[in-house]
Amino acid sequence: MTGPDHATSTTAAEDEILADVADGVLVITINRPDQRNAMTKSAAEQLAVALDRLDSDPELTVGVLAGRGGTFCAGMDLKRFQLGERPVVDGRGFGGLVQRPPAKPLIAAVEGWALGGGFEMVLAADLVVAGASAKFGLPEVKRGLVARAGGIFRAPRVLPQAVALELLLTGEPMTAASAERHGLVNRVVDDGAAVDAALELATAIAKNAPLAVRASKALAYHSRTWTDDEAFERQTAYTDPVFASDDAREGPAAFAERRAPRWSGR
């Protein structure tokens, strides 16, 4: 599966966020290339709408978030910030994403720079694919600000503490190779190939039972602070509905009959 050549566009070209469907995957693209995809209030609101669509549409299984024009996102639009605009959606935070990520898997496809809030959107995603020249940074301290869109607490969760603190305290960026080495990035690919690689990863996820995928994501995040005893007790709220589903019967039947499963999401 590839990107735009086999996708159906669902938004106008002039919109700040584009949403395209490719084989059950929603490809969401920040469309402000002349401004390095810096986030605005309008773009954040449109992105929130796209994420709501991802979660509500049963035909969609995975989301891919990318930036148009060789840059993922340079953070918030500082010119708009100086005029009092904040690229935040109530209840969803920066970019309409960081405070409430979607329940379905979201893959960040990063080309070029992911800075400030742009990097914090990457940290809010579940998986990350990056072009070889991609760079990730939290330069807020250089501007008299702090990374309060999730960077301060999410970076130390996914990176070694010393590495995360270096990003936070120096404001200097990290390369894609370093991000992969420290476990932030799943795959580093040739420049320009991040979206296609993310779509390949999304396809692998989309082949699986949607209820099981969604429950696995939710439980993996919610259980981070639980003890093992708590996890075994609390996981039943997530796992019992999966085991009682039609898909739980379809999976073994398809395996026994040596055919591809036909998931219903029920």
Side-chain angles (χ1 to χ4, degrees):
M1 180 172 64
T2 57
D5 289 344
H6 299 280
T8 302
S9 180
T10 58
T11 59
E14 64 270 23
D15 286 348
E16 293 188 312
I17 297 294
L18 306 178
D20 302 282
V21 176
D23 298 336
V25 178
L26 184 65
V27 182
I28 304 168
T29 306
I30 307 169
N31 185 35
R32 305 188 74 234
D34 293 341
Q35 295 78 31
R36 297 199 303 166
N37 295 321
M39 187 60 53
T40 64
K41 176 72 170 177
S42 174
E45 291 171 345
Q46 292 177 44
L47 183 52
V49 169
L51 294 172
D52 283 341
R53 177 186 174 191
L54 171 63
D55 272 344
S56 64
D57 189 339
E59 299 300 316
L60 298 174
T61 54
V62 185
V64 170
L65 179 62
R68 185 180 171 204
T71 297
F72 181 78
C73 175
M76 67 178 168
D77 189 313
L78 291 179
K79 293 181 180 178
R80 302 278 188 93
F81 175 75
Q82 289 177 322
L83 297 174
E85 180 181 292
R86 303 292 184 270
V88 172
V89 175
D90 288 345
R92 302 206 65 142
F94 181 92
L97 166 62
V98 300
Q99 191 173 330
R100 185 161 62 87
K104 294 179 182 177
L106 181 65
I107 304 170
V110 182
E111 300 280 0
W113 291 94
L115 291 175
F119 184 24
E120 288 169 307
M121 289 198 294
V122 172
L123 291 169
D126 305 300
L127 303 172
V128 185
V129 176
S133 298
K135 291 186 178 180
F136 305 83
L138 295 167
E140 282 83 351
V141 292
K142 291 177 176 286
R143 299 166 184 164
L145 304 171
V146 292
R148 67 176 184 178
I152 288 177
F153 54 85
R154 284 191 172 128
R157 287 178 185 168
V158 299
L159 293 166
Q161 181 170 313
V163 175
L165 284 172
E166 183 173 343
L167 284 173
L168 288 163
L169 302 181
T170 69
E172 294 298 322
M174 167 185 286
T175 65
S178 180
E180 182 184 35
R181 184 168 66 252
H182 292 299
L184 169 68
V185 169
N186 295 84
R187 300 176 186 176
V188 175
V189 297
D190 291 341
D191 288 334
V195 170
D196 281 346
L199 284 168
E200 290 178 5
L201 193 54
T203 300
I205 296 170
K207 290 179 180 178
N208 299 319
L211 290 178
V213 167
R214 191 163 176 165
S216 295
K217 170 179 172 174
L219 188 54
Y221 282 109
H222 293 165
S223 64
R224 283 180 299 194
T225 61
W226 300 348
T227 66
D228 284 356
D229 287 342
E230 289 172 331
F232 277 110
E233 180 179 354
R234 296 182 185 182
Q235 72 171 347
T236 57
Y238 301 85
T239 59
D240 282 2
V242 175
F243 277 75
S245 68
D246 291 343
D247 283 349
R249 289 182 285 276
E250 168 63 10
F255 179 80
E257 296 165 14
R258 298 184 179 181
R259 60 172 174 81
R262 296 183 289 270
W263 307 121
S264 66
R266 300 191 299 272

